Amino acid sequence: MGAAAIGAAMQLVALSAALILDLRACSGGTPEGAAMCCSYFFRDDQVHLDDFYERSTGATRQFWTTAHLPAPRYADRPVHVLTSAMTFSGGEDVAYTPQAHGRAVVVVGETTRGGAHPTARHPSSRPAANDRLGFRVKSGCPPRRDTPTSVQASESCRARATPACPARPDRRAEGCADGQGRRKPW
């Protein structure tokens, strides 16, 4: 999603009392898009969200909350994120980052697949298949230092969003804790 689409969605929910983000079928996204989404959940534009280390250059890119957003921030109300084993890449980043920063985001569902890292496409070496065949290889790593499950300590560089309230996709989550540790019947 681009900034305009994210802004339009956030404008629609601007007056709601709480937000439920359904990321159960979200299989991708960019670090820039995830940072834009996450920016709505923080009060100011000076929150360091994440870093991505790029192997090919040895450089680390920082991602911060965005200063100017096309819709009002959603920093003062509860945010609940639904995840599944299919949630991947940018969807994981949107679920994980606010949770890791103590934004009181409640993640409900299954542990995500662990692919919130940049990749690079490598085309086939065969000229006839070059435009149709290729493969993607992990090209970087998000060195998250702010949680006990830091991916910097993990050789696989896989950050998974772990639900505070585990639930199978076909069942309702029962009696889970909200962001303040209170039991809630979702």
Side-chain angles (χ1 to χ4, degrees):
M1 265 196 282
I6 295 167
M10 293 307 293
Q11 189 66 53
L12 287 172
V13 299
L15 300 176
S16 65
L19 179 64
I20 298 173
L21 287 177
D22 188 348
L23 301 176
R24 292 176 293 180
C26 182
S27 61
T30 65
E32 295 82 5
M36 172 65 75
C37 281
C38 291
S39 293
Y40 284 95
F41 308 134
F42 294 93
R43 290 194 182 283
D44 68 33
D45 61 347
Q46 297 299 311
V47 177
H48 182 199
L49 298 173
D50 217 344
D51 290 330
F52 277 97
Y53 171 75
E54 186 65 40
R55 275 190 225 154
S56 63
T57 63
T60 299
R61 286 181 59 197
Q62 294 185 344
F63 289 91
W64 293 74
T65 50
T66 303
H68 303 286
L69 298 170
R73 291 185 186 271
Y74 206 90
D76 58 344
R77 287 158 283 168
V79 177
H80 308 282
V81 180
L82 305 180
T83 61
S84 75
M86 298 306 298
T87 306
F88 197 63
S89 188
E92 288 179 292
D93 203 359
V94 172
Y96 175 88
T97 300
Q99 182 188 41
H101 282 78
R103 170 48 185 91
V105 172
V106 177
V107 178
V108 178
E110 297 175 291
T111 299
T112 61
R113 289 173 43 201
H117 51 263
T119 61
R121 185 178 186 282
H122 297 276
S124 170
S125 60
R126 293 188 161 177
N130 198 18
D131 61 337
R132 294 173 293 170
L133 296 175
F135 55 94
R136 297 196 76 78
V137 176
K138 180 173 45 179
S139 62
C141 182
R144 301 169 200 248
R145 298 176 210 72
D146 55 343
T147 65
T149 57
S150 170
V151 293
Q152 193 160 14
S154 166
E155 290 198 15
S156 68
C157 274
R158 300 180 97 180
R160 290 186 169 100
T162 304
C165 185
R168 293 192 339 238
D170 60 338
R171 299 207 38 168
R172 183 177 83 127
E174 308 237 356
C176 297
D178 67 5
Q180 285 76 43
R182 298 178 300 232
R183 301 294 283 175
K184 293 281 188 180
W186 303 103

